[in-house]
Amino acid sequence: MDRLFRPRSIALVGASDRSIWSVSAFDNLKRAGFTGRVVPVNPKGGVIHGVEAATSIGAIGEPIDAALLMVPEAVMHDTLHDLKAAGVGGAVILSAGFAETGEEGVQRQAALSATAREAGIRILGPNCLGFANMADGAPIWTTPLRRPMPNPTLAVVSQSGALASQMEQFAYQQRIALTHMISTGNEADVTIADAIEYLAHRSEARAIALFLETVRNPAAFARAVEAANAAGKAVVVLKVGTSEAAAAAAQAHTGSLVGDDRVFDALCRRLGVVRVKSLEELVVTADIIGRIGKVERPGLAMMAMSGGLCEIAVDQAEVDDLPLPALAPETLAALREALPSYATPNNPLDTTGAAMTQPNLIAEAMRIVSNDPAIGLVSFVFDAPAKADARGFAARFIDAVGQGIAKAATPGLMFSHTFSPVSGEGRGMADAAGVAYSGGGLRHALTAISHLFRWSEAQPQALDLNRASGVRPQIGDGERGVLDYLASHGVPVIPGAVATSADEAVETARGFGGPAVLKIASPDIPHKTEVGGVALRLSGDEAVAQAYADIRARVEAAKPEARIDGVIVSPMRSGGVELFVGTLKDPQWGPAIAVGLGGVFVEALKDTSLRLLPITEADALEMMDELRGKALLDGFRGAAAVDRAAAARAIVAIGDAALALGSDLVSLEVNPLLADGERIEALDGLVIWEDNDEHA
C-alpha cells in the first residue's frame, strides 16, 4: 500500500499530450512538488509532457513504485503482466468498462483482479480518478488539483471520483488543507475499508471524510473504522442509498417499519462513526472534529458581538440537540466584573459593542466561561477577513480570540457568521494567532459541534458479524410457542394456554379470575384479527364458550386450509402503553432490534428507534428516550408512568432471545409489549424464518 500511495517513482502508462487525463496527472505532480522520477510510457516513444517517453514499462530499466494506467480495457491484462515483469508495486486504473457496465463487465473485472493478485500488484480502481497524497507531494490524480496547503489535517475518501474532486475544490475554498484524497472507483482490489485503515496509520490525517455509496466488505469496513478509532481519528460519513438489504429483511414487519438505511444509522452509532447529510456538512464537520479533537464534556459556550445572532444560535442549538448550558453563578459573577455594566451575562454571550474598542474583553470572557464546570468547548463568532485592513483591526480581534483560547481551560474555536469562503490571508491570520477557524457559518458550525460532542462521548463497540448462532432451536408452534420461548429467556409474558375445546377454554379462563381474551392458535395465521380470530373482554363461562365456538367457525370459513391447534386463552389486559419490539436481519450488518410505540403509532408514524444486536439496558433506555412519543411512557394525562428500567430489561431479553434463535431467523416480533407501571408483559409474539417465509 505504501508503494502505491507513497510512490518515489511513477509511470504514466498510455501517456499522451492529447489526453486531458495524462496532461492533468503530469501537471498535478509538478504542482505538488513531486521529487521522484516520472516516466511517460507510450509504444511510440518520443517526448511527452516535455519528458523522454519509454516505449514500455520494461524499457524504463529500473523499478517503478506505482503506475497510472490510461490504456483500453482490451490490453489491460497484458499491461499488468508488463508491470509485474518490471517490479511495479501498485497501479491506478483510470480506464472504465468493467463492473459498472453490467454482468460482462463484472466478469472482466473479476479477471482483472485475479491477474493483479497473481502479479502481486495492488490496484486502485478501475474507473477511478486516482489519489492525491498531499502530505508527501505525491498525487496520481487525473483532473486538475490545487497546490497543497500547509498544516493538513483532513483526509477525503470517496467511491465517486467526481465528488472527491468537488470536495477538494470546496476544501480549498474554505482553506481546509487535505492530507490525502482517495477515489476507490469500482474497488476491484483496494476498497473503501483499505483506504480508511491505511489512513488510520498515517499520522497526518486527524479525521477522515468519507463519501459512501455501498459497503462491499462489511467485516473489513468495521475493522477499518475500529483502527481509526484506536488511532483517535474520527470517521465522518455521507452515505447515499440504502444498505442494499435483500428481500428477506422486508418480509418482516420490522423491516418495512424501519427501512434498511436505519440499519446503517445503527451501525454508525455502534462503531462511533459520525453520519452527516450533505457535502458541506461532511467537510466542515470533519475539519472541526479533526482540529479540535475530543472534548471532555458536551457543553458549548458561544460568544458573539450580536444579540440577534445569539438568539439564532439558541434556536439552532435546539434543532441540533446541542447543549448550551446555563452558566454557573460564579461564572456569571466573574463576567459581570469583566464586562460593561450594560452587558447581560448569559450563554450564548453577547459581548456587546464594547469589544470593538476593547478586544481584550474577548480574551477575558473566553477565559472565564471556559472554567465553567458545564463547558467543554468555548467559541467566538467572527469572520476572518479576505485581506488584512490597513489599521489592523481584524488582526487585533483574531489575536484577542487567540489569547482567549491560549488561556482557556477547554479547547476553543472561531467560526464565521455565515457560510463564507476563506482566503489564504485570512487563514494565515488565524493560524498565526493559534486560532482554529471555520468559515462554515453559524448553522454548519453548530451542527458540527453537536457531532463533535456526540463523537467525544461515543463508546464504540466491536461488531461481530457472526453474532447469531448457526443452530435453530426447537420452539413450539404459533403465538403461544413463541411466548413460551421468550419466557424461557427471561422475557415477562402474559399467562395463557391453548384450549382445544370450549370446556377447556372455560376452565382456563376461570383460573384468571377476570375478563379473558381468546385468540386463534394457528402457525398459518400470523395476523389473527384479519380472519376474525380474536375475541376480547369475555366475562363468564357462557361468553367464553360462545367465543370459542365463534372463533373456530369464522377462522375455518376464512382459512379452511390453515392448521388450527386450538384457541389461546389469556387474561384480558387494559390500560398501560403498548410497545412494539421487533428484530430483523440485515444481510450486510446482521441482526438489529427496533423499539417503538405499538398499535396505530408504529403503523402510522413509524416512530421507532434502532440498534444492532446485542444491546445493553443502557441502549434500551436510550432507544425509548429517542421516541417522539416518549411522553406517553412518563404518565401522560394521569396514567401510570412506565417503569423504564423494567421495560429495558425486557427489550434486552427479547434481543438476546432473537440471537439465540440462530442465523436462519428473519424476524422475532413482540407486538405489543404491554408496559403498565411496573408490569411489563409480552402479549403476542411472531417468528419468521428464512426458509419459505415460514411463520411460527
Side-chain angles (χ1 to χ4, degrees), residues 10 53 58 70 102-103 136 182 235 288 293 305 357 451 502 592 630 696:
I10 297 171
M70 299 172 284
E103 185 55 39
D136 296 305
I182 300 174
V235 177
I288 288 177
M305 291 185 286
T357 56
H451 287 309
K630 63 183 178 181

Side-chain angles (χ1 to χ4, degrees), residues 69 76-84 112 115-116 119 121 123:
L69 305 188
M76 191 64 68
H77 291 276
D78 292 340
T79 303
L80 286 173
H81 287 302
D82 291 343
L83 297 185
K84 177 184 178 182
L112 177 73
T115 301
I121 297 170
I123 58 175

